[in-house]
């Protein structure tokens, strides 16, 4: 969880003039290439050609919105979009690039999305990131990106870390991975959540050398509205689809306990203005009522976490139409490596989990599904289990709708900065073709999501098939 140890990492959030940039970029490319070639397994070999056509015959559709499956249907994907959905047979010319899949009455559903992910920070710990070459940690992130896609997560909203180069390599087809909506570096204050310096690094000289975590683009420290503006604009220049600030303390922060409020309202507003000038929005890491309310007063559109919110802040979130991107934190698994003080904070956050979902339901808050898994490949393998955990508060259908079409609405908030214009999280004509063929009905048995290797027979992203356990008639 962002909370647990946060944001950090490597490469791309560097200035263009930095003499090191060239070598870092090269490393990232080498890294990505290596991953692409080495993992040319299942995924790469199954990928269909660009611009190909796929016809799914005899599938029952969970469209990302309705709580029941469709009647047996046929779905034609041409290029990267869903072109036709029909209960009647769809005629295709059987050219070499047309693939026909007999769904056998199985479920076709949208690819899953994770609204709070850290693509660069799953397999690498903060210590590894601060102490390793960026090429190594980029390779780790590339391998994890492929694993993420193979779990059926076709899109992630990256809430901090230098994921720009990874996103680029995935988009270029260098390696398989999900669509990434990058925030770039998390922006924090001196001593705030995401500041990984030591006290011996103080005092900071304004305009002086950047700390290691800032050089890596994991987080940036800003202590005035002017500094905030610079840091926000730097992320936008690199392709951030939204901006992430930490409005309060976090679980793993060395120097900012949960009760701490960090930015002033003027600083938050400076970020909001800079983001809105680019047509996009700011999300804040905020657990407490004060940090939530201050964020909303400044124009923040999405609250990340919110586990310690009270009734008044929940009502405010609802009244202002603000999104809540929260996570089903239920145990200490993600805090296993932390000290006792941090674990105590984690317990406090977990104690708010039931309440946050109850308040969200009470006030009909727009809730996104995300996991905020950090620093553990083993936990990442349980990404889908987090969605199943949502059934503690929601029906399976409600949980699946949240992880598909609802998250898709949140992603669209990036407006003109949306790197993947088009509808995500739905199975409908004209939508982007991110699809899973599931061996069973997840609306009735959501446990299927826990074992993607077995139950997701086909994984398609952007019209390309990255996994196919069915024989195809071609
Ligand atoms: Zn996070």
């Amino acid at each position: 969880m962002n909370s647990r140890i946060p944001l950090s990492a490597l490469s791309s959030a560097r200035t263009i003039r930095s003499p090191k940039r060239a070598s870092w970029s090269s490393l990232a490319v080498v890294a990505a290439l290596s991953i692409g070639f080495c993992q040319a397994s299942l995924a790469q070999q199954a990928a269909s050609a660009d611009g190909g056509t796929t016809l799914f015959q005899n599938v029952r559709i969970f469209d990302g919105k309705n709580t029941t499956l469709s009647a047996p249907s046929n779905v034609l994907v041409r290029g990267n979009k869903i072109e036709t959905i029909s209960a009647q047979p769809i005629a295709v010319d059987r050219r070499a690039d047309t693939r026909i899949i007999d769904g056998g009455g199985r479920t076709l559903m949208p690819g899953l999305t994770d609204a709070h992910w850290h693509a660069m920070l799953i397999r690498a710990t903060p210590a590894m990131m601060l102490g390793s070459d960026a090429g190594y940690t980029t390779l780790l992130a590339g391998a994890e990106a492929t694993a993420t896609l193979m779990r059926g997560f076709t899109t992630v909203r990256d809430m901090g870390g230098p994921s720009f180069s990874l996103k680029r390599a995935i988009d270029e087809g260098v390696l398989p991975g999900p669509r990434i909506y990058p925030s770039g570096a998390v922006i924090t204050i001196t001593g705030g959540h995401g500041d990984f310096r030591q006290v011996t690094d103080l005092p900071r000289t304004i305009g002086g050398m950047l700390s290691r975590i800032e050089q890596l683009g994991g987080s940036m420290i800003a202590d005035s509205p002017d500094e905030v503006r610079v840091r926000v604009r730097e992320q936008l220049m690199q392709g951030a689809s939204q901006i992430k600030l930490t409005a309060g303390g976090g679980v793993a922060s060395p120097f900012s306990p949960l009760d701490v409020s960090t930015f002033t309202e003027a600083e938050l507003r400076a970020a909001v203005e800079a983001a809105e000038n680019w047509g996009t929005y700011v999300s804040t890491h905020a657990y407490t009522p004060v940090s939530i309310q201050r964020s909303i007063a400044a124009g923040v559109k999405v609250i990340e976490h919110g586990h310690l919110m009270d009734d008044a802040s929940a009502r405010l979130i609802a009244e202002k139409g603000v999104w809540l991107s929260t996570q089903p934190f239920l145990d200490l698994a993600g805090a296993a490596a932390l000290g006792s003080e941090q674990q105590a904070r984690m317990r406090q956050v977990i104690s708010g989990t039931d309440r946050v979902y109850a308040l969200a339901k009470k006030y009909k808050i727009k809730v996104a599904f995300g996991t905020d898994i950090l620093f553990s490949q083993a936990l990442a393998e349980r990404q889908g289990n987090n969605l199943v955990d949502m059934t503690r508060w929601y029906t399976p259908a409600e949980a699946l709708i949240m992880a598909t079409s609802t998250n898709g609405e949140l992603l669209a908030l990036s407006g003109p900065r949306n790197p993947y214009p088009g509808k995500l999280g739905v199975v409908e004509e004209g939508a982007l073709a991110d699809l899973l063929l599931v061996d069973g009905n997840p609306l009735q048995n959501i446990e299927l999501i826990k074992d993607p290797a077995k139950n997701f027979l086909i994984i398609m992203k952007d019209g390309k098939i990255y996994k196919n356990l069915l024989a195809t008639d071609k």
Side-chain angles (χ1 to χ4, degrees):
M1 332 178 153
N2 176 333
S3 39
R4 299 174 184 155
I5 294 184
L7 10 135
S8 18
L10 21 132
S11 84
S12 64
R14 308 172 57 77
T15 66
I16 288 204
R17 281 175 292 282
S18 163
K20 278 192 175 173
R21 181 179 175 87
S23 60
W24 281 44
S25 300
S26 312
L27 276 172
V29 169
V30 168
L33 282 169
S34 309
I35 292 164
F37 292 136
C38 297
Q39 297 203 339
S41 58
L42 194 66
Q44 290 287 69
Q45 287 164 2
S48 60
D50 280 338
T53 305
T54 302
L55 176 61
F56 292 94
Q57 293 179 322
N58 188 21
V59 291
R60 307 279 307 274
I61 300 167
F62 162 54
D63 65 1
K65 292 181 168 176
N66 285 294
T67 56
T68 54
L69 298 183
S70 72
S73 302
N74 306 300
V75 176
L76 179 66
V77 173
R78 194 185 301 278
N80 70 341
K81 291 201 168 133
I82 298 168
E83 184 174 278
T84 309
I85 300 174
S86 176
Q88 305 305 316
I90 298 174
V92 288
D93 62 29
R94 294 179 60 94
R95 292 176 306 169
D97 65 349
T98 299
R99 176 191 300 264
I100 297 175
I101 293 167
D102 177 6
R106 297 182 181 87
T107 305
L108 190 72
M109 64 172 279
L112 297 168
T113 57
D114 191 322
H116 193 124
W117 190 245
H118 296 277
M120 303 302 289
L121 311 177
I122 303 295
R123 298 197 183 181
T125 63
M128 284 164 71
M129 247 156 339
L130 293 171
S132 307
D133 180 86
Y136 173 64
T137 43
T138 303
L139 277 164
L140 293 181
E144 177 54 41
T146 301
T148 304
L149 180 62
M150 289 303 125
R151 288 192 293 269
F153 283 83
T154 49
T155 300
V156 297
R157 181 168 165 268
D158 194 283
M159 294 319 289
S163 60
F164 299 118
S165 292
L166 176 66
K167 173 193 179 295
R168 177 181 173 183
I170 291 169
D171 291 349
E172 290 175 354
V174 176
L175 76 167
R179 301 177 192 271
I180 296 178
Y181 281 72
S183 302
V186 169
I187 298 165
T188 189
I189 63 160
T190 290
H193 187 60
D195 180 353
F196 283 99
R197 294 173 302 170
Q198 307 296 318
V199 288
T200 48
D201 294 328
L202 304 182
R204 171 166 76 113
T205 305
I206 304 296
M209 256 189 68
L210 296 175
S211 64
R212 175 68 174 153
I213 195 77
E214 291 174 296
Q215 291 173 0
L216 293 169
S219 58
M220 297 302 293
I221 296 161
D223 287 308
S224 70
D226 286 344
E227 282 200 311
V228 167
R229 258 185 288 274
V230 171
R231 297 315 182 201
V232 168
R233 288 169 179 165
E234 286 172 348
Q235 308 317 309
L236 293 165
M237 180 175 171
Q238 295 171 90
S241 49
Q242 65 285 322
I243 294 296
K244 164 87 174 293
L245 272 75
T246 59
V251 169
S253 305
F255 305 108
S256 61
L258 292 175
D259 64 287
V260 166
S261 302
T262 51
F263 288 105
T264 65
E265 189 178 318
E267 289 164 341
L268 291 168
R269 192 174 296 118
V272 168
E273 285 170 0
E276 289 184 348
N277 285 343
W278 282 59
T280 186
Y281 67 93
V282 171
S283 269
T284 53
H285 161 108
Y287 282 112
T288 61
V290 172
S291 58
I292 291 167
Q293 290 172 13
R294 190 178 297 171
S295 294
I296 293 173
V300 166
K301 293 284 194 297
V302 186
I303 299 296
E304 305 294 324
H305 314 309
H307 292 72
L308 304 180
M309 74 168 63
D310 57 9
D311 202 87
S313 39
R315 196 180 318 120
L316 182 68
I317 290 172
E319 278 171 10
K320 298 291 183 185
V322 167
W323 281 80
L324 176 65
S325 168
T326 192
Q327 303 81 30
F329 296 156
L330 290 170
D331 58 49
L332 284 170
L338 300 180
S340 58
E341 187 190 332
Q342 276 93 356
Q343 293 210 354
R345 290 185 207 165
M346 190 66 221
R347 272 188 212 97
Q348 196 186 342
V349 167
I350 291 167
S351 75
T353 303
D354 280 331
R355 188 178 61 245
V356 76
Y357 285 109
L359 287 169
K361 291 175 89 162
K362 178 178 174 186
Y363 289 106
K364 299 187 169 53
I365 292 170
K366 293 182 288 192
V367 181
F369 165 75
T371 62
D372 201 13
I373 292 165
L374 282 172
F375 315 131
S376 167
Q377 183 178 351
L379 284 179
E381 285 167 2
R382 303 185 73 257
Q383 191 176 11
N385 296 51
N386 282 246
L387 181 56
V388 178
D389 287 344
M390 295 294 286
T391 56
R392 183 176 168 108
W393 310 282
Y394 298 93
T395 66
E398 286 172 335
L400 288 160
I401 287 169
M402 202 181 283
T404 53
S405 67
T406 308
N407 276 2
E409 288 175 41
L410 170 59
L411 295 165
L413 273 192
S414 291
R417 299 288 79 75
N418 183 347
Y420 310 104
K423 278 195 145 184
L424 285 173
V426 292
V427 180
E428 46 185 66
E429 292 180 355
L432 292 168
D434 292 3
L435 297 166
L436 308 177
L437 186 70
V438 185
D439 194 10
N441 179 358
L443 294 172
Q444 286 182 350
N445 179 17
I446 197 170
E447 298 280 326
L448 293 167
I449 305 291
K450 287 183 175 177
D451 193 353
K454 175 164 175 274
N455 299 317
F456 293 172
L457 301 179
I458 291 179
I459 297 175
M460 171 182 275
K461 189 196 81 173
D462 210 37
K464 298 190 194 71
I465 292 177
Y466 288 88
K467 173 186 177 183
N468 185 355
L469 296 183
L470 290 180
T472 55
D473 171 15
K474 187 174 173 188

